[in-house]
Amino acid sequence: PGHHHWAKYYYLFGTYYAAKVARLIPSEEAADAAEVITRRLLRRQKSDGSWVDSLEFAGPSYGAALGILALRELQPVLAAAKPAGESR
């Protein structure tokens, strides 16, 4: 496997930067991307509220920080996409 076996530990890192990119693309596409990213993040969230890429290389504090930062990046995209009077 070489260095490629490390890639699975960068999921949250990549997700954070995908969330940043969602703020730069056209609004309709951004809203779709933000919804997908949010769903995937929330599915991976642990019952204690944290996210974990790897206990060996980066613990739950690192994962929680990146998960929260990603959601924070997506917040303006999701807010802009919601119809008037609807809450997300």
Side-chain angles (χ1 to χ4, degrees):
H3 67 282
H4 299 289
H5 72 280
W6 288 57
K8 66 183 178 181
Y9 302 122
Y10 296 117
Y11 177 80
L12 291 168
F13 179 84
T15 299
Y16 169 67
Y17 281 96
K20 290 184 81 62
V21 168
R23 294 179 67 172
L24 303 174
I25 59 179
S27 60
E28 184 176 308
E29 295 165 3
D32 291 342
E35 297 259 353
V36 169
I37 294 166
T38 299
R39 277 196 307 271
R40 289 181 180 179
L41 266 174
L42 295 178
R43 273 199 317 254
R44 293 178 182 272
Q45 190 175 28
K46 305 296 181 193
S47 61
D48 66 0
S50 68
W51 287 267
V52 178
D53 264 348
S54 165
L55 290 174
E56 184 178 351
F57 299 111
S61 296
Y62 165 84
L66 283 176
I68 291 166
L69 286 170
L71 291 173
R72 186 173 176 201
E73 287 291 326
L74 296 170
Q75 189 175 23
V77 176
L78 293 171
K82 71 178 180 181
E86 180 183 317
S87 62
R88 286 192 183 257

